[in-house]
Amino acid sequence: MQTAIERAYRRTPGGDLLVGVLATCLAIAVLLGAGTIAAGRTMPLERTAVVGLGALLANFISIPVLVGIYARVGRDEDESGVDPETTRIAGIPDGQLRETARLTLDTLRRRGRVLVAGLGVALVVSLLVGILATLVLHAVVLTILTIAGYISYALGYGQLVSAVRMFHLSGVLVGLGLSVGVLSVRFFDCVVCWTDAGPVSAVRESLRFARTRPLTVLGYALVTTVLFTIPSVVTYLVAPLHEPLAIGVFVLLTSACVAVYATFHARVCYRHLLPVCCGTALSEQHSSGDKADSQSLSYTVRNRPLVANPVALVLALLLVTALLVGSGSVRALDVQPVDAVEEPGPVDEFDDATALIDDAAMPQTEANHRAVDTTYAYNETQERWEKPVQFQYETDHQQRRHLVSFTTFDHNDTPTSSTTAYFSTKQFAMQWTDPQDPQPPSEPADHAWHERTAGNWTVYSVAGYEIIDQPTESITTTPEFFDQEWAVVDESHDTITIAASGPDPVPVNRQGYGSVETADVEVTLDRETGYVVEISQELIREDDDLDAVRTHVEFEDWDDHTVDRPDGVEVQPVEWVWGVASY
């Protein structure tokens, strides 16, 4: 490999630069065309597919331009003792553009049809191999991350990798997989130019070489990557100084790299690929009958099956399928360890009312529940308390679903508007309702691919549960709320009520009220479970312009609440992908 690199660097003729310019312009034209088509697509998946196919085609489109370089390198590398003067084109210095052009025309005349057919076969096979490699990479990575995620949930750390990061990682894996596909068939062109192989056989031998010489292919890939990184780095440094100059530098450097790459590619194929596909010494296979008339080599490819043990291949594919289906199912169905939330315990005899309540009595971040938070404002004109707004929260930690509803009321406590949001690992749905005139939302005239209407809901295909960062407390509390001085004010067979009042008490949702002068807070607990079932509080705020506020909170179904998907909101196929990503 090192010898091939050194020779490619030292022995790339200057005439090859113009060949590199032509090859670069062809590749850039393909990429620009793919980008233009992709810009007109709405779905990210469609845009990605178009750009990916464009990049795939750009890797192969310049091959017919480079075959002259392959022919010259193969001729120069031949060590069969042929007189070099008989293999040169009379009157033309070695390595000049005219010689490369004559070699290109000669190769295309002899093997042009096979080369074009090989291009088609290589594109299809590279796509198939790329998809297979992508599936293998996803199977391994998803299995590892699913196991790690399950352990993370079991240890109480929660979600390990967000859905957005999973998509970024998946994009990297797709890029690696498609690169493997391109790399596995990339050597077919030299097989076509130097041997008698047909299009299918040429691609098959390229696959065989990638399978039997993985370290050589890996080194080839690293050298190629470093080589074509140089133009990008230099352009990045020049662009801030002069953008038009940077474009010219990029094209020129890329063209030079293409020329060096073509020579390097041919030398690697001559020294490492031909022994694999021909299977005998090159001197034994070389056809010397027409050395003076032909500017090309001719070798015979042995007809051998690509896979010696198809049973092992089938078993490997079954293993990959099992890993994908298994890890994908666990993630899509959100299978995770469920630890039952420990109840605070029954409230019987007690000496200190403060000991009755702590954060375990309101485990909003651990236990499923439903909470109704109603705010009351005092109407001095009518001298009564009115209910302007009400929030309802429903949390299902096991299914990772959350439902929030916000309702406004008029002076007669009649609902005037209602907004509901539904969050899950696969969807985010919104519903706006006017109780006086309920109408379903109209279908948007120009909506995005991930937006649709379902009944009264507008549904977005996205990991909605992550939008709210795995909902924490519906009713916000502080440690001071639980540690304040409580006193028992009421008892019954089923409940016990404790209260705190005066200038020092700490209410719930304290940050939403500004500075509080005095507060009266009452908390009612269920005697059997020890959970908080009601909170009532009245606040007098320091700002005289602000009226007194009353809040009444009711908790229901502690650790036994289920959030169902809204009626009419079905899971679309693309949303299952979000379900797999969000685990």
Side-chain angles (χ1 to χ4, degrees):
M1 182 67 70
Q2 183 177 359
T3 302
I5 297 173
E6 292 174 351
R7 290 193 177 187
Y9 176 74
R10 294 199 306 266
R11 300 181 61 182
T12 299
D16 290 357
L17 179 61
L18 295 178
V19 177
V21 171
L22 179 57
T24 301
C25 291
L26 286 174
I28 291 177
V30 171
L31 292 175
L32 290 177
T36 302
I37 297 174
R41 312 309 300 174
T42 56
M43 287 190 63
L45 188 60
E46 291 179 346
R47 292 198 296 267
T48 303
V50 171
V51 172
L53 289 175
L56 189 64
L57 183 59
N59 277 281
F60 294 103
I61 195 67
S62 59
I63 287 177
V65 181
L66 304 177
V67 293
I69 299 177
Y70 301 162
R72 189 190 67 243
V73 171
R75 179 199 64 195
D76 294 344
E77 286 285 344
D78 180 30
E79 299 175 353
S80 60
V82 179
D83 184 3
E85 295 301 325
T86 64
T87 61
R88 298 292 188 269
I89 298 175
I92 302 178
D94 178 33
Q96 294 299 311
L97 180 62
R98 288 176 60 192
E99 184 198 31
T100 302
R102 288 286 297 273
L103 291 172
T104 300
L105 293 175
D106 178 69
T107 304
L108 292 178
R109 176 181 57 81
R110 293 183 304 103
R111 303 287 286 169
R113 293 182 179 179
V114 178
L115 185 63
V116 173
L119 279 172
V121 175
L123 281 171
V124 174
V125 173
S126 67
L127 187 58
L128 294 177
V129 174
I131 292 174
L132 180 59
T134 300
L135 292 177
V136 172
L137 291 172
H138 276 82
V140 174
V141 172
L142 277 182
T143 300
I144 294 174
L145 290 181
T146 301
I147 295 173
Y150 192 91
I151 295 174
S152 178
Y153 280 117
L155 297 178
Y157 293 108
Q159 187 174 15
L160 195 62
V161 182
S162 67
V164 174
R165 291 188 180 275
M166 280 299 300
F167 275 112
H168 292 165
L169 177 59
S170 180
V172 173
L173 297 180
V174 170
L176 286 176
L178 294 179
S179 299
V180 170
V182 171
L183 194 61
S184 65
V185 302
R186 185 60 189 86
F187 308 96
F188 86 97
D189 48 2
C190 287
V191 179
V192 170
C193 293
W194 296 339
T195 74
D196 60 354
V200 176
S201 298
V203 174
R204 180 194 66 201
E205 294 308 315
S206 180
L207 291 171
R208 189 191 313 281
F209 176 60
R211 180 177 63 84
T212 57
R213 302 287 180 88
L215 293 181
T216 301
V217 174
L218 179 60
Y220 170 92
L222 291 176
V223 171
T224 303
T225 301
V226 171
L227 180 64
F228 284 100
T229 300
I230 295 173
S232 300
V233 173
V234 174
T235 303
Y236 176 78
L237 297 176
V238 175
L241 303 177
H242 197 279
E243 188 171 343
L245 176 62
I247 296 175
V249 169
F250 176 78
V251 173
L252 183 62
L253 287 179
T254 302
S255 301
C257 289
V258 168
V260 174
Y261 163 75
T263 304
F264 167 71
H265 173 74
R267 295 189 188 283
V268 170
C269 289
Y270 188 93
R271 293 184 173 275
H272 300 280
L273 172 63
L274 285 183
V276 172
C277 66
C278 296
T280 57
L282 300 184
S283 58
E284 299 176 12
Q285 292 284 337
H286 184 258
S287 174
S288 58
D290 300 320
K291 292 169 189 170
D293 299 328
S294 177
Q295 304 300 325
S296 60
L297 304 176
S298 180
Y299 298 90
T300 300
V301 173
R302 294 190 300 174
N303 187 15
R304 296 168 293 167
L306 179 61
V307 179
N309 187 1
V311 175
L313 178 61
V314 172
L315 291 177
L317 292 177
L318 289 176
L319 176 61
V320 170
T321 303
L323 291 177
L324 273 177
V325 173
S327 59
S329 299
V330 169
R331 301 175 72 89
L333 299 176
D334 221 9
V335 178
Q336 53 181 279
V338 178
D339 295 329
V341 179
E342 294 185 6
E343 295 182 353
V347 179
D348 295 324
E349 298 180 359
F350 56 90
D351 297 326
D352 183 8
T354 304
L356 294 177
I357 184 171
D358 55 19
D359 54 359
M362 292 176 58
Q364 299 180 76
T365 58
E366 295 87 16
N368 299 356
H369 66 281
R370 178 176 181 268
V372 180
D373 181 3
T374 306
T375 300
Y376 296 87
Y378 188 72
N379 187 325
E380 293 185 353
T381 303
Q382 298 184 6
E383 296 183 346
R384 69 183 185 90
W385 291 92
E386 295 179 347
K387 179 173 62 176
V389 294
Q390 183 181 77
F391 288 90
Q392 295 189 41
Y393 307 93
E394 297 184 47
T395 301
D396 186 338
H397 293 289
Q398 280 68 47
Q399 298 187 89
R400 291 203 292 169
R401 293 177 178 175
H402 193 61
L403 191 70
V404 181
S405 177
F406 171 73
T407 305
T408 60
F409 300 84
D410 61 14
H411 295 295
N412 298 318
D413 292 343
T414 301
T416 57
S417 66
S418 177
T419 303
T420 305
Y422 167 73
F423 306 87
S424 74
T425 57
K426 307 174 184 67
Q427 297 164 326
F428 165 54
M430 291 288 293
Q431 181 189 65
W432 297 270
T433 305
D434 181 358
Q436 307 299 327
D437 184 24
Q439 296 289 336
S442 58
E443 186 73 25
D446 184 23
H447 58 85
W449 65 271
H450 60 276
E451 179 184 354
R452 70 182 193 277
T453 57
N456 294 329
W457 295 83
T458 300
V459 185
Y460 302 88
S461 300
V462 66
Y465 195 79
E466 296 182 14
I467 293 178
I468 48 177
D469 193 23
Q470 302 183 21
T472 52
E473 294 184 338
S474 305
I475 310 301
T476 58
T477 58
T478 61
E480 292 78 14
F481 172 78
F482 299 106
D483 294 338
Q484 57 190 326
E485 294 295 328
W486 296 99
V488 176
V489 295
D490 187 40
E491 292 187 64
S492 68
H493 177 72
D494 298 321
T495 62
I496 182 171
T497 301
I498 57 178
S501 60
D504 297 327
V506 179
V508 296
N509 299 331
R510 182 176 186 176
Q511 293 181 347
Y513 299 117
S515 300
V516 177
E517 182 177 340
T518 61
D520 295 319
V521 184
E522 291 187 356
V523 178
T524 302
L525 300 97
D526 184 279
R527 276 188 176 274
E528 182 179 354
T529 63
Y531 286 128
V532 173
V533 292
E534 285 186 14
I535 299 177
S536 298
Q537 59 186 27
E538 182 175 338
L539 311 178
I540 304 298
R541 290 175 282 188
E542 291 183 354
D543 190 339
D544 295 335
D545 294 332
L546 299 177
D547 297 329
V549 175
R550 281 183 180 177
T551 303
H552 182 74
V553 182
E554 295 181 359
F555 290 100
E556 300 175 359
D557 303 333
W558 280 114
D559 203 28
D560 190 30
H561 187 74
T562 301
V563 177
D564 296 323
R565 191 168 56 247
D567 293 338
V569 180
E570 301 297 332
V571 180
Q572 302 295 316
V574 69
E575 292 165 354
W576 284 104
V577 178
W578 280 103
V580 172
S582 178
Y583 180 75

